[in-house]
Amino acid sequence: MNGMDRHPDYDHLQRAARDHLWMHFTRHASFDDHDVPVIVKGEGAYLWDAEGKRYLDGLSGLFVSQLGHGREELAEAAARQMRELAFMPIWSYGHPNAILLAERVAGYAPGDLNRVFFTTGGGEAVESAWKLAKNYFKYTDKPLKHKVLSRTIAYHGTTHGALSITGLPTLKQQFEPLVPSTFRVPNTNIYRAPHGTAGPDGTDAEAFGRWAADQIAVAIEDEGPDTVAAVFLEPVQNAGGCFPPPPGYFQRVREICDEYDVLLVSDEVICAFGRLGHMFGAERYGYQPDIITCAKGLTSGYAPLGAMIASDRLMEPFQRAGEWFAHGYTFGGHPVSTAVAMANLDIFEREQINAHVLDNEAAFKATLDRLLDIPIVGDVRGAGFFYGIELVKDKSTKETFTDAECERLLYGFVSKQLFAEGLYCRADDRGDPVVQIAPPLICDQSHFDEIEQVLRTVLDKASTLI
Ligand SMILES: Cc1ncc(COP(=O)(O)O)c(C=O)c1O
């Protein structure tokens, strides 16, 4: 116990969780022989479970809790707004915080991304972006343009449209047929660059970036430029374990998009709001998207909110008399969520959260790099406060684990053990097996050391089990 008592209703919570709660992306049978972890409190970078045990929040919930937990100021902002105006939709109406937040987010966004369409989360923002791309081209005399490109292993959400854009076959199978017209291009995982794409020794990042970007042009040509509407890319791709863009990648993608009149959608549901030390990842990597999708860190998770930010050019046809974007969500731009987002961004500025990330990212990376002396740690990659640690069976050949080994090692041991040792994070095998680390943006060297120590203990032990 780290200072808290067992929850007085512990047994009831366990029973009710088993009998009634349908957890997301969860193998329910795995709780047949052990309790459901119930998290009851958060403070700063830490979480506490219903038995009173403390955990470092190594994943910011789900890449969400940028400012950490327990911020009184954000709770006050929510309560104030609930008293003032609990609900009003933004369907032909405004309310002050939706208006002011739109103005503020447009101010942070690069170039002429001046129009903010609020949603309740990331998948809806992705869905909205695809619908906007189709609708825009219908309104501008290119009605055939409707197809979307996205990268292999990339995750873009679970609604039918966003799932169709997602590049993870195992997440899609059970729900097919999905929305037609989406196509995959390679991701930027240089650790596993196809032979010959990253120079003679496989380490030429620029050559690899050029190759990966050019595959977008190839896919556009294959599908027919008149039919392709958009390409969806994360600044740093999460699924698969943090693939940063090679130098020049996004610049080449921008050229290709301009050449073929294909919209570049920067899916920043994870990367925006400080995760990479900037308000937007596009800013970090110096490219100009046509649309940004974002969510998560916009409120640091104190209320649900997402947004699609579109350029002036994309808004223009919708300002003509009689035209509209026939799309929206009851809770998009919710008064409480937008009030919380404003207060969240006030703290970002006051505490200079982005500068803190940039000042500390090298130390964080260096701390995680220490793990490379463990036999099964193949690669540590990422940027800002966003890292993936790839586990391999053989470091010299980069041989990965079989499905059965993955099951035994990743889910059977690493996942459970990290949590048992007091680190909440995620072991993931949507691509090759990785441990994902993305702590709150307030963390410092003491937290980095704590993360490294728990990972070392568990991964050292895991190395002996293969
Ligand atoms: C890049 C990306 N896009 C979209 C989504 C979907 O967001 P949500 O779960 O809020 O619908 C996610 C979720 O993690 C994401 O990482």
Side-chain angles (χ1 to χ4, degrees), residues 19-270:
D19 292 348
H20 300 294
L21 181 64
W22 199 327
M23 288 171 271
H24 295 202
F25 284 111
T26 298
R27 300 169 176 200
H28 273 252
S30 68
F31 296 114
D32 284 352
D33 59 0
H34 67 273
D35 285 359
V36 174
V38 177
I39 304 300
V40 296
K41 184 179 162 59
E43 189 68 49
Y46 292 93
L47 302 164
W48 280 263
D49 73 11
E51 291 189 284
K53 186 170 172 209
R54 192 182 84 158
Y55 304 84
L56 202 160
D57 183 357
L59 201 64
S60 303
L62 205 49
F63 313 98
V64 164
S65 308
Q66 317 297 68
L67 297 182
H69 305 273
R71 293 270 190 170
E72 200 56 41
E73 195 175 330
L74 298 185
E76 282 304 323
R80 223 176 12 254
Q81 184 60 47
M82 283 179 192
R83 286 188 205 104
E84 184 80 21
L85 174 70
F87 182 69
M88 184 66 203
I90 50 172
W91 299 34
S92 300
Y93 291 81
H95 57 76
N97 279 313
I99 296 167
L100 296 174
L101 183 62
E103 178 189 44
R104 188 167 186 173
V105 168
Y108 294 138
D112 70 340
L113 266 64
N114 288 321
R115 193 60 66 157
V116 181
F117 184 98
F118 288 116
T119 65
T120 67
E124 286 178 0
V126 168
E127 200 72 38
S128 303
W130 189 7
K131 287 179 80 172
L132 172 60
K134 288 161 109 174
N135 199 160
Y136 169 78
F137 284 119
K138 283 192 172 55
Y139 275 2
T140 53
D141 298 327
K142 293 189 176 177
L144 294 181
K145 276 189 173 288
H146 68 285
K147 295 176 186 167
V148 165
L149 308 178
S150 59
R151 296 187 291 201
T152 53
I153 319 179
Y155 179 83
H156 293 286
T158 51
T159 54
H160 269 77
L163 186 58
S164 301
I165 297 173
T166 289
L168 290 153
T170 51
L171 292 193
K172 301 164 81 161
Q173 259 146 224
Q174 301 301 324
F175 309 106
E176 287 171 337
L178 288 168
V179 185
S181 308
T182 69
F183 302 88
R184 301 291 90 71
V185 292
N187 61 46
T188 59
N189 181 5
I190 193 169
Y191 185 66
R192 297 198 177 277
H195 184 69
T197 58
D201 66 352
T203 60
D204 185 339
E206 248 166 83
F208 177 59
R210 175 88 192 186
W211 170 82
D214 281 347
Q215 298 315 298
I216 294 173
V218 171
I220 293 170
E221 287 287 354
D222 284 350
E223 280 310 311
D226 290 349
T227 67
V228 181
V231 55
F232 282 67
L233 307 170
E234 290 167 88
V236 173
Q237 180 174 321
N238 173 46
C242 276
F243 307 143
Y249 174 79
F250 274 111
Q251 287 63 36
R252 178 70 190 125
V253 171
R254 183 69 265 177
E255 280 173 13
I256 293 165
C257 287
D258 288 343
E259 185 183 339
Y260 292 105
D261 197 11
V262 166
L263 303 181
L264 170 51
V265 182
S266 193
D267 184 356
E268 309 215 7
V269 168
I270 289 178

